[in-house]
Amino acid sequence: MTDISSGSLPLTTTDKVRASLAKRHRKQRILQAFGIAAISIAFLMLFILLWSQIATGYKAFMQTNITLDIFVDPAEIDVDRLPRGDFDDVLTAALLEKLPNVDVTDRAAVREASGIFSNGAQFDLRDRIVEDPSLIGQTINMRMPVSDPYDQLYKELLDRETPEELRRLNDVQIANYDQLLDAGAITSKLNTDLITNADSRFPELAGLKGALLGSFWALLVCFLVAFPLGIGAAVYLEEFAPKNKISDFIEVNINNLAAVPSVVFGLLALSVFIGWFGLPRSVPFVGGLTLALMTMPTIIIATRAALKAVPPSIREAALGVGASKQQVVFGHVVPLAMPGILTGTIIGLAQALGETAPLLLIGMNAFITSAPGTPFDSATALPTQIFIWADSPERGFVSRTSAAILVLLTFLIMMNAIAIYLRSKFERKW
Amino acid sequence: MDDLRTVSKDVDANNTKISAKNVQVYYGDTHAIKDVNVEIKERTVTAFIGPSGCGKSTFLRSINRMNDTIDICRVEGDIRIDGKDIYDRDVDPVQLRARVGMVFQKPNPFPKSIYDNIAYGPKIHGLAKTKAEMDEIVEKSLRRGAIWNEVKDRLHAPGTGLSGGQQQRLCIARAIATEPDVLLMDEPCSALDPIATSQVEELIDQLRESYTVVIVTHSMQQAARVSQKTAFFHLGNLVEYGNTDDIFTNPKDPRTESYISGRIG
């Protein structure tokens, strides 16, 4: 009514809308730019992570080996004394044959030369001869991993230009190495030991078998405990529990539980499972129980969401033909919610696979050189193995740490891919 | 749209199947159904009409105790089927729902095969002992649901793959597979196109021979076409109940007249 005071013709709606359009479009563009920037930063971080791990880790997937013709001297190895015998002397003799420069009588020089052997080499030879004692007196061809400094040298991680006194190999050792390399005795091949060996103090022998099996057993226990309990709790809360203050209180606490720092669960497990129940330390069974404590809230929350997503029309349909509540829930609702439940479970297990802190507290970071055969054998897990290796001083563990991280990431990506596959495959249109 | 011709089939001098006396339904503090008294005849199609929110669906869902599943819902009064109070302590709602089938607004087949959709009710109630008996029940139900010819070659295809009208007839067949006496239909055609609607209406007319059908509908034309008795609900009250002919041609209550002539609703 008083619009006339503006002194101009009254603006039409179209004019007003047009006036504000530019501003609205600009706001939208800014929002989009922020979104793209956020995603770009996230991808950049992911790329840096993967790139840095691959750049340092790929070398651990190759192992430098030395191949020698070994004369199994009956004078050194007596068939009656097996498994004892001077296997290292036999190895050294074979090595010295390739290195005529080394003075056999100079014990220090011989010791320097034989440092190329990994500590495991003599045991490999022993195992082979114990298995087949008829090899004694024959010449056998054997390929063995070289020790860490020579491996580093082959991979050019050890700089020849470094002053001798700061180098891990002296000039004579490098000369020996070059001689062997020229003779074709030094080769490099895919490092299957990384998967098939358990942990070792020597990086060239250390593998992930113990950690992989430890993680496998722990996750299996975690799944067997958390999956039924989580689904049971979720189904009860969602479908059967009366909606009152108590169920609200429980719901709030389950959501809180999902946010409790994992180190707290580790302490809880330490005092309950190991302290009260007297379960052994460092075993995947306890690790699995601990991880189950953490995974259960995730499974409960995912299951409840999946149950909620089942349309009420299906419940009505089943009730309408006279199904009991229990038949409705277990005959219709839970099966229809199963893809969502499985997706949540796999994501929960993937989290559990990468969890380190609670496993440290229950001792799954021990130095264990044999792979666990059951969930009750001491073991490490993948993330704790990474922790141990990252903490080790030997240079060879640097690339192995990265390699272990890559292995862990591979498993995580696989699990998440399965979750996405399940979700898209079983997604229903109602 | 103004076709208000009624099905001028006579209502047989039938017995009362469902009787409701002083029924009150509350949702929390809301008084949704106020003092409803009605006698629904056997082997008759009874239509509940009325504007949205008038309580017709609520009352329908009281007849097979589907309202029990809603925590805040409370039913008072007396609803009897064949003289038996269905809210009595010794009545199990599960058993009641096997006798009082229900068809819902939106077709809601289980995401299973057509065969399993029909077989589910008989299976949980143990109505078939052998596979042959079950096959027979499935075929009979699908025939009565007037959908057998369309699906007999693909009984193991998913029920959700059928068209909307076929799904709804499948749901009707599913509801009658447990041999109920009463069939409750909550706006069964509201999600269907006109051709599917007329197929379902035809089916409802056939079902009258074996079942007591109670249908809630938004469409007065539909009530006129399929029902013999009509009850008009308004704001939770049962305003008028009588022969469909009388309600549509000679309503006694001014509110009924206003609704039918399109002035309220």
Side-chain angles (χ1 to χ4, degrees), chain A residues 8-323:
Chain A
S8 61
L9 285 169
L11 287 169
T12 65
T13 307
T14 318
D15 293 332
K16 287 179 185 166
V17 170
R18 191 178 297 135
S20 69
L21 268 184
K23 198 176 165 192
R24 286 195 271 172
H25 285 320
R26 197 176 66 239
K27 276 189 174 166
Q28 187 175 339
R29 276 196 300 273
I30 291 172
L31 188 67
Q32 279 179 346
F34 268 118
I36 291 169
I39 289 175
S40 307
I41 290 171
F43 262 93
L44 184 69
M45 292 301 160
L46 183 68
F47 176 76
I48 291 172
L49 168 76
L50 285 178
W51 184 75
S52 67
Q53 296 308 327
I54 290 171
T56 50
Y58 81 95
K59 287 188 167 152
F61 289 103
M62 300 299 285
Q63 172 64 45
T64 314
N65 294 297
I66 179 167
T67 310
L68 291 174
D69 289 322
I70 300 161
F71 173 60
V72 187
D73 191 349
E76 301 277 7
I77 298 161
D78 185 352
V79 71
D80 298 324
R81 288 182 61 229
L82 284 174
R84 263 172 288 180
D86 296 322
F87 299 100
D88 46 346
D89 290 348
V90 171
L91 284 174
T92 308
L95 177 71
L96 293 182
E97 228 166 86
K98 292 264 185 191
L99 298 172
N101 306 3
V102 178
D103 179 4
V104 186
T105 56
D106 182 352
R107 293 183 67 90
V110 170
R111 198 162 48 241
E112 267 181 4
S114 66
I116 194 168
F117 290 118
S118 155
N119 262 51
Q122 50 175 321
F123 302 117
D124 282 354
L125 178 65
R126 180 193 67 190
D127 291 346
R128 201 162 152 189
I129 291 171
V130 167
E131 200 176 294
D132 183 8
S134 69
L135 292 174
I136 296 173
Q138 295 183 26
T139 300
I140 56 175
N141 186 278
M142 235 183 113
R143 187 170 59 201
M144 298 149 287
V146 300
S147 65
D148 184 42
Y150 292 90
D151 189 41
Q152 303 285 321
L153 184 64
Y154 185 88
K155 290 169 179 170
E156 293 173 355
L157 292 169
L158 194 136
D159 191 355
R160 287 164 188 259
E161 305 303 318
T162 316
E164 189 177 6
E165 62 272 21
L166 298 176
R167 231 189 287 131
R168 292 166 72 203
L169 297 175
N170 61 31
D171 290 341
V172 179
Q173 285 172 315
I174 290 182
N176 287 343
Y177 165 83
D178 288 340
Q179 205 177 348
L180 288 167
L181 191 64
D182 291 341
I186 305 283
T187 53
S188 178
K189 73 179 253 294
L190 190 66
N191 185 9
T192 50
D193 286 354
L194 187 66
I195 302 296
T196 56
N197 275 9
D199 198 12
S200 166
R201 208 174 297 284
F202 306 102
E204 69 275 11
L205 297 177
L208 287 169
K209 188 182 178 190
L212 284 170
L213 280 175
S215 273
F216 169 76
W217 288 121
L219 279 192
L220 186 71
V221 171
C222 171
F223 174 77
L224 291 178
V225 172
F227 188 68
L229 284 182
I231 290 187
V235 166
Y236 177 76
L237 283 174
E238 194 59 38
E239 304 286 341
F240 295 102
K243 300 277 174 284
N244 54 26
K245 289 234 163 63
I246 298 173
S247 56
D248 285 350
F249 178 77
I250 291 173
E251 174 158 10
V252 167
N253 278 288
I254 286 173
N255 292 341
N256 278 342
L257 217 53
V260 169
S262 55
V263 66
V264 177
F265 283 109
L267 284 168
L268 177 74
L270 179 63
S271 66
V272 174
F273 298 139
I274 296 175
W276 287 359
F277 298 168
L279 291 168
R281 264 173 296 172
S282 308
V283 299
F285 181 72
V286 175
L289 291 179
T290 313
L291 295 174
L293 290 176
M294 307 189 44
T295 311
M296 212 149 47
T298 311
I299 294 181
I300 292 175
I301 291 168
T303 303
R304 293 189 69 179
L307 292 173
K308 271 202 188 89
V310 174
S313 64
I314 294 295
R315 296 163 202 266
E316 288 194 324
L319 283 174
V321 295

Side-chain angles (χ1 to χ4, degrees), chain B residues 118-138:
Chain B
I118 304 294
Y120 181 71
K123 196 173 85 191
I124 60 173
H125 296 302
L127 300 184
K129 285 190 185 66
T130 62
K131 175 87 172 63
E133 277 179 38
M134 186 60 88
D135 289 347
E136 200 183 309
I137 291 177
V138 170

Side-chain angles (χ1 to χ4, degrees), chain A residues 313 316-317 319-322 332 336, chain B residues 61 69 94 97 108 111 120 125:
Chain A
S313 64
E316 288 194 324
L319 283 174
V321 295
H332 296 274
L336 290 174
Chain B
R61 292 165 61 95
T69 59
V94 169
R97 288 180 203 133
N108 56 356
Y120 181 71
H125 296 302

Side-chain angles (χ1 to χ4, degrees), chain B residues 88-158:
Chain B
D88 204 46
R89 267 172 196 284
D90 64 354
V91 173
D92 188 331
V94 169
Q95 199 184 1
L96 173 72
R97 288 180 203 133
R99 273 185 66 205
V100 183
M102 186 152 193
V103 177
F104 298 86
Q105 191 168 353
K106 207 176 135 235
N108 56 356
F110 300 128
K112 300 179 183 212
S113 72
I114 292 167
Y115 185 97
D116 289 340
N117 261 282
I118 304 294
Y120 181 71
K123 196 173 85 191
I124 60 173
H125 296 302
L127 300 184
K129 285 190 185 66
T130 62
K131 175 87 172 63
E133 277 179 38
M134 186 60 88
D135 289 347
E136 200 183 309
I137 291 177
V138 170
E139 181 175 343
K140 196 172 74 183
S141 307
L142 287 170
R143 278 188 194 284
R144 283 203 196 155
I147 190 177
W148 172 253
N149 287 332
E150 289 155 72
V151 301
K152 64 182 175 194
D153 300 324
R154 46 173 174 151
L155 287 178
H156 295 283

